[in-house]
Amino acid sequence: MEKASSVSRRTFVAGAAAASAMAALAAAGCSPTQNSVGVSTAKEHAEPADISTGTWVSAACWHNCGGRCLNKVLVNDGVVIRQKTDDTHEDSVEHFQQRGCNRGRAQRKQVFAADRIRKPLKRSGWAPGGGTNSNGEMRGKDSWEEIEWDEALTLIAQELDRIKTTNGNKAFFCTGGEIGTVLNAYGGYVSNWGTGSYGSWAYTAGTVGFFGFSPDNIANDRFDYKNCDTIIMLGLNAAWTSPGSPIYHGLVLKEQGVKFIGIDPFFNESYSALDAEWIPCYPGCDTALLIGIAAEMVRLDAEKQLIDWDFLNKYSIGFDAEHMPEGEDPAGNYKDYLLGTYDGIPKTPEWASVRCGVPAEKITYLAELMGKDNKTAFLASYCLGRNQQADNAPQALMALGAMGGHYGKSGHMCGMAPDFNAFGGGPDVYSSGSSGLESVPNPITDESICNIELWKSMLRGTYNYTGNSSSKRKPGVIKPVDIKMIWHSRGALLQTCDDQGNGIKAHRKMELVVSNASFMTTNSKYADFILPVSTLWERPGGFLIGNREMCVMYTQVIDRYYETYSDQEIAKMLAPKLGVDGEAIWPISATQQFYNQAAGATMIDGKGEEVPLISFTKEEIDALGVDGEPQDGYISFTEYKEKGVLSVKRADGDVYTHYAGKDWVDDPVENPMPSDSGLFEIYCSKLSTTIKEFGYSEDVTPIPTVYYGPEGLAGRYANGDIEAGVPSEYPFHLYNPHYLRRSHSVFDNVQWLREAWVNPVYVSASDAKAKGVKMGDTVKVTSPHGVCLRTACVTERLVPGVVGLPHGAWVDVDESTGIDMAGSDNYLMGSNCGGAGVSGWNSQICNFEKHSTELPPDVELPLLVNYDQDTFVSAGQRR
């Protein structure tokens, strides 16, 4: 890659992508065949690279897969010419290498992408003053022009002043970060909250006493997994979601003789790699499955002694009539619900099978495996809680584990183990220090919109206020809201939030939309200004912690890329234009902030004591140009900088050994669970009462029960009648598996990954046959909320009745038809919420059919911003 240089003013496009020839799909993996287009011709590949000289630098791989693996780049005269991953020590089970995945190894194709924005862009049709001057309907369709930084920030500041004068600070919406800090000092803004990846884990887990929602606490240490006889995985796919070291641990366990079972709509790559027994199920129906297993354990207990009654009686409340909370009706206990004592409906395997898709005999099989004498780990991903009807799901899993006594001891686990915590839990060994900056609180403390209604609230002018976070909640109150400005200061909210179709409409209603971004992301397509941000490769350094045994320290790789700035630098430039003292907010440099984090970093040493992590000499401090004092630590700054990563070498029985819940089991009084009782609350009136007070649902009960939202399983059937089984207009369940091309939505523009991972729609072979769809056909997927086109991957690995649309593709709407050509999952999703404000991403319904349009492979589509070409396609020419 050539060094950064200035560029001339140009005009660009933010519309949908162009059409050309269709992709050929390989039958086995739904990957493209080799084609003549190849990959992006990035400049670092223009000539053979000289790898005999240069310096290897620890480069951040910071995207939200949870892996945080080691990524090193070879830099020669300011040019990145090679990448590699962890080779700092020999690889072993005791001391595994923190190896990166295909996404991390393609990182330089993101940092040096041809479509990376180099200078501020302003939408051509926007003008200051609000009203028709904003020309909001052209957002997502308009052309763009480059402008200077001072002009961009001056126009933005003037509009902020105008909107504040006319409407007040509650007309501002911002996603936080450094821009949020400036706006806080400027009088504040309306914020948002959501349950995000955690789903119902965010509120339910802590309320019922299920360890809180930290996966650090719910699973045992990785060295104990080998003591399990069976590991049951519910919706886990570390091979795709966090493909660094977690799946390696699984492969080791397979070699050690551990049996794996995968419960999932899709026989995914993790199950395949681990030779797991696949038990197909419907997405979003886990509560019914867990209830069915629990009921079968009760039925079989007299014969097979499956239930650990001592554990249930000591550590939980509400399982049976004799252990109900004081003042509650004994008839409301969980055991009698399972038996159907009062409602007349025994929750038999046959009852559960209709509601979750798992065959009845497999439910009996799982019930026997969960017996108290079996060393079983039942581990779920976050997806368990990302459904309309999932408010009781973590509670149902907790109850199941309690019935078998699977807590606080070797070889027994029941809980959550997603992403980088797959096959290993426990507290982090390493932690970084504070940056040394003081926070600036938001003065607006009585406004925050839940993501499930964020966009609709902006359109209708009212919303349900339930507090300012997913865990600290209040009874719902309907309040007015009138947002005039959206600032996407971080994240990918328009892409990853619920109800994307209404999100686009909301953006077109605004008077001003600003996006800090490196690319023409979904946030940016529908903005008025795009402020180009630097990547972590261009900043002094920082720390990334993935799995508990490692810590990456990354450092600066390259100088500033063209005219990009960090979010903090942008905020400091904006501050004086708003009359805010930026120097008071950020009195120290970014390098000083990095040093403070390093100097304050700690680790748990081999004796179990917390000690300083990094030693500094005066020479090292002076070389950084910061203020500080020499100190002793576990490793010198210079050595750590060269290595890039630290990880501990493990051994059986070492100080890092962790059994989830052991402290609580040993002394529940001194180490209570976070519930009001300090115990597992299988009956929790607080859960039911508070969620009903939020105002999103009246269906949540004190014990785990099955109820249905407007979509999900019930939505697949006419009048929601599952028993009758008559298909509705949308007879398929639509779910959104994480995909190896992206980390959520990040990397979706990287050409290497677009070529290797074509982003199809997965349909089962039997459903495809019934619809006349073959491998590689274009498929039209329709939901109550939107329509998209994708090429079909026909597979036996997907349960019939389910359609899989990979998560995270950047929406690409054909404005003439309203059809998304990219397969954005949230374009097909509405506000499908659970009672605690849970985003119901796995509660969608759809239909699909063969479509005549031929889609080109994504890798062949022209870039939305391309500095390497002299001409640019306008939005109108795209279709």
Side-chain angles (χ1 to χ4, degrees):
M1 169 61 68
E2 295 178 353
K3 294 180 181 178
S5 61
S6 61
V7 295
S8 60
R9 178 183 293 263
R10 300 175 189 240
T11 301
F12 304 96
V13 151
S20 65
M22 177 178 175
L25 295 175
C30 299
S31 298
T33 57
Q34 295 296 317
N35 57 62
S36 59
V37 175
V39 298
S40 175
T41 55
K43 293 181 180 178
E44 68 263 32
H45 287 292
E47 298 177 1
D50 177 12
I51 62 173
S52 61
T53 59
T55 303
W56 286 101
V57 179
S58 177
C61 190
W62 63 95
H63 307 294
N64 193 24
C65 74
R68 312 293 191 264
C69 308
L70 181 63
N71 194 2
K72 300 190 81 170
V73 297
L74 182 62
V75 182
N76 194 338
D77 192 25
V79 179
V80 173
I81 56 177
R82 277 290 187 275
Q83 272 190 244
K84 68 176 181 178
T85 187
D86 190 5
D87 59 0
T88 57
H89 58 271
E90 291 296 319
D91 194 36
S92 67
V93 174
E94 295 77 16
H95 198 197
F96 61 93
Q97 294 174 343
Q98 308 294 330
R99 297 183 183 178
C101 72
N102 60 314
R103 297 185 294 230
R105 297 178 194 224
Q107 183 79 69
R108 60 179 164 154
K109 288 297 184 180
Q110 182 195 44
V111 173
F112 299 111
D115 59 336
R116 185 168 168 194
I117 298 173
R118 304 173 180 178
K119 192 172 182 176
L121 297 177
K122 183 183 81 70
R123 185 168 63 85
S124 300
W126 180 88
T132 57
N133 290 348
S134 302
N135 199 14
E137 284 301 315
M138 287 301 292
R139 292 190 179 105
K141 312 172 191 177
D142 222 337
S143 59
W144 296 82
E145 59 189 41
E146 286 183 332
I147 62 174
E148 301 300 324
W149 269 102
D150 186 67
E151 181 184 0
L153 293 176
T154 298
L155 284 169
I156 292 168
Q158 289 171 348
E159 278 298 284
L160 293 177
D161 282 340
R162 181 189 64 79
I163 293 171
K164 179 176 180 176
T165 300
T166 305
N167 304 96
N169 280 76
K170 290 187 178 182
F172 299 148
F173 173 80
C174 178
T175 55
E178 308 286 7
I179 295 297
T181 297
V182 171
L183 293 180
N184 287 345
Y186 184 59
Y189 60 91
V190 174
S191 62
N192 66 303
W193 66 272
T195 57
S197 294
Y198 299 117
S200 61
W201 291 96
Y203 185 76
T204 297
T207 304
V208 302
F210 199 11
F211 296 92
F213 62 87
S214 170
D216 296 347
N217 300 324
I218 297 182
N220 292 0
D221 170 58
R222 71 178 177 94
F223 260 53
D224 185 59
Y225 274 65
K226 64 179 179 292
N227 296 318
C228 300
D229 295 323
T230 306
I231 297 176
I232 302 169
M233 302 180 291
L234 178 59
L236 290 177
N237 187 13
W240 276 13
T241 59
S242 188
S245 56
I247 197 64
Y248 166 72
H249 303 321
L251 292 170
V252 170
L253 294 170
K254 183 180 77 169
E255 293 177 358
Q256 292 171 333
V258 177
K259 175 181 173 59
F260 291 90
I261 296 172
I263 305 173
D264 204 290
F266 188 60
F267 183 68
N268 63 46
E269 299 302 324
S270 295
Y271 306 148
S272 176
L274 300 174
D275 291 338
E277 176 184 354
W278 180 37
I279 298 180
C281 69
Y282 299 140
C285 300
D286 311 294
T287 306
L289 170 63
L290 297 171
I291 289 172
I293 297 171
E296 190 69 346
M297 287 181 72
V298 172
R299 185 184 73 83
L300 295 171
D301 185 61
E303 174 190 354
K304 299 190 176 184
Q305 293 79 53
L306 299 179
I307 297 176
D308 188 338
W309 291 103
D310 291 338
F311 188 96
L312 272 177
N313 295 340
K314 182 176 180 180
Y315 298 103
S316 72
I317 57 175
F319 182 77
D320 56 24
E322 290 74 27
H323 296 87
M324 285 290 284
E326 184 178 353
E328 299 291 349
D329 183 357
N333 72 85
Y334 191 43
K335 179 183 175 184
D336 279 320
Y337 169 74
L338 298 176
L339 295 174
T341 303
Y342 298 104
D343 65 6
I345 305 173
K347 311 310 180 290
T348 63
E350 291 75 18
W351 172 91
S353 181
V354 172
R355 289 159 177 79
C356 68
V358 175
E361 64 273 16
K362 292 296 184 181
I363 294 175
T364 299
Y365 167 57
L366 292 169
E368 292 176 344
L369 285 173
M370 289 301 293
K372 62 183 176 64
D373 295 326
N374 294 327
K375 287 191 171 183
T376 300
F378 195 123
L379 303 173
S381 72
Y382 293 136
C383 71
L384 174 79
R386 295 197 292 253
N387 303 290
Q388 290 177 26
Q389 61 273 22
D391 293 292
N392 289 116
Q395 185 187 27
L397 184 61
M398 176 191 76
L400 190 64
M403 291 172 69
H406 295 295
Y407 297 102
K409 55 188 177 182
S410 176
H412 297 259
M413 287 168 263
C414 187
M416 179 172 62
D419 302 335
F420 53 91
N421 286 97
F423 313 121
D428 290 338
V429 174
Y430 302 95
S431 63
S432 60
S434 169
S435 67
L437 296 175
E438 298 291 333
S439 63
V440 180
N442 188 344
I444 298 178
T445 59
D446 60 345
E447 304 281 357
S448 190
I449 308 172
C450 180
N451 287 346
I452 61 173
E453 59 171 343
L454 180 61
W455 308 128
K456 282 185 177 178
S457 71
M458 293 183 184
L459 293 171
R460 69 184 176 224
T462 61
Y463 79 103
N464 183 33
Y465 176 69
T466 61
N468 287 33
S469 75
S470 60
S471 57
K472 297 178 181 179
R473 308 292 294 281
K474 301 177 180 179
V477 177
I478 302 301
K479 301 182 71 171
V481 65
D482 188 13
I483 303 297
K484 302 293 185 183
M485 186 280 295
I486 294 173
W487 197 315
H488 290 291
S489 50
R490 62 181 180 182
L493 193 64
L494 183 55
Q495 180 59 55
T496 59
C497 187
D498 322 48
D499 202 13
Q500 189 177 63
N502 277 320
I504 292 171
K505 293 177 183 177
H507 279 67
R508 287 175 170 163
K509 181 185 175 184
M510 296 297 115
E511 295 182 359
L512 175 67
V513 181
V514 184
S515 175
N516 291 13
S518 296
F519 308 100
M520 189 68 73
T521 61
T522 301
N523 284 351
S524 299
K525 288 179 185 179
Y526 296 93
D528 302 314
F529 291 88
I530 305 173
L531 305 181
V533 294
S534 62
T535 71
L536 295 190
W537 284 23
E538 297 135 62
R539 304 183 195 180
F543 294 84
L544 297 168
I545 299 174
N547 70 75
R548 61 179 298 229
E549 298 175 22
M550 56 80 75
C551 180
V552 166
M553 184 175 78
Y554 64 88
T555 48
Q556 188 164 351
V557 175
I558 58 173
D559 293 331
R560 188 183 311 281
Y561 186 77
Y562 292 88
E563 295 185 39
T564 64
Y565 290 90
S566 72
D567 298 280
Q568 191 174 111
E569 290 172 318
I570 294 170
K572 286 187 73 172
M573 291 189 292
L574 174 69
K577 296 181 182 294
L578 297 176
V580 171
D581 186 354
E583 293 301 322
I585 297 174
W586 297 282
I588 57 177
S589 68
T591 304
Q592 182 72 55
Q593 294 168 44
F594 170 48
Y595 166 78
N596 291 346
Q597 288 180 304
T602 62
M603 70 170 292
I604 306 300
D605 68 10
K607 298 178 181 179
E609 298 176 354
E610 186 175 28
V611 298
L613 177 59
I614 304 174
S615 62
F616 278 96
T617 64
K618 184 179 185 302
E619 291 73 21
E620 288 170 328
I621 295 170
D622 290 344
L624 286 172
V626 297
D627 295 327
E629 295 294 330
Q631 66 180 45
D632 294 328
Y634 175 80
I635 187 173
S636 73
F637 177 76
T638 300
E639 183 183 357
Y640 198 176
K641 181 179 178 181
E642 181 180 347
K643 282 177 173 281
V645 67
L646 283 180
S647 58
V648 293
K649 187 173 184 179
R650 297 296 311 282
D652 275 317
D654 64 18
V655 298
Y656 308 112
T657 300
H658 172 78
Y659 302 109
K662 188 176 187 303
D663 290 345
W664 172 64
V665 170
D666 289 345
D667 191 338
V669 175
E670 289 297 318
N671 305 291
M673 285 296 165
S675 63
D676 288 347
S677 67
L679 302 174
F680 283 168
E681 296 192 4
I682 298 174
Y683 182 101
C684 184
S685 59
K686 179 180 179 179
L687 179 69
S688 175
T689 300
T690 53
I691 288 182
K692 288 178 181 179
E693 289 176 344
F694 297 156
Y696 296 122
S697 174
E698 291 290 325
D699 298 317
V700 181
T701 53
I703 59 172
T705 58
V706 174
Y707 60 95
Y708 299 103
E711 298 188 22
L713 182 63
R716 292 172 54 186
Y717 299 98
N719 303 314
D721 191 339
I722 297 170
E723 299 282 357
V726 178
S728 72
E729 181 182 359
Y730 302 101
F732 296 94
H733 218 125
L734 179 65
Y735 93 117
N736 311 122
H738 287 253
Y739 193 51
L740 205 49
R741 172 162 127 184
R742 297 177 289 269
S743 176
H744 290 286
S745 63
V746 179
F747 293 113
D748 198 42
N749 62 319
V750 174
Q751 295 294 80
W752 279 1
L753 300 176
R754 289 169 76 83
E755 181 181 33
W757 299 90
V758 298
N759 201 61
V761 58
Y762 294 98
V763 294
S764 76
S766 60
D767 291 336
K769 183 177 180 181
K771 292 276 192 175
V773 171
K774 297 179 181 179
M775 181 75 77
D777 286 346
T778 299
V779 169
K780 178 183 177 182
V781 184
T782 305
S783 82
H785 313 287
V787 183
C788 77
L789 299 183
R790 280 285 88 191
T791 51
C793 178
V794 179
T795 177
E796 297 282 359
R797 297 167 61 182
L798 186 67
V799 65
V802 176
V803 173
L805 186 65
H807 164 57
W810 296 359
V811 72
D812 188 8
V813 180
D814 183 338
E815 295 293 340
S816 65
T817 63
I819 296 175
D820 170 37
M821 310 300 283
S824 172
D825 48 335
N826 283 318
Y827 194 71
L828 272 64
M829 181 183 175
S831 299
N832 302 334
C833 69
V838 173
S839 294
W841 284 300
N842 290 322
S843 299
Q844 303 177 68
I845 53 177
C846 74
N847 208 338
F848 75 91
E849 61 184 324
K850 185 175 179 178
H851 198 269
S852 59
T853 300
E854 291 190 356
L855 294 178
D858 290 350
V859 73
E860 293 184 5
L861 298 175
L863 300 174
L864 295 175
V865 174
N866 196 325
Y867 294 89
D868 295 330
Q869 299 179 4
D870 294 329
T871 59
F872 299 86
V873 182
S874 71
Q877 295 172 308
R878 290 289 181 108
R879 301 294 172 197

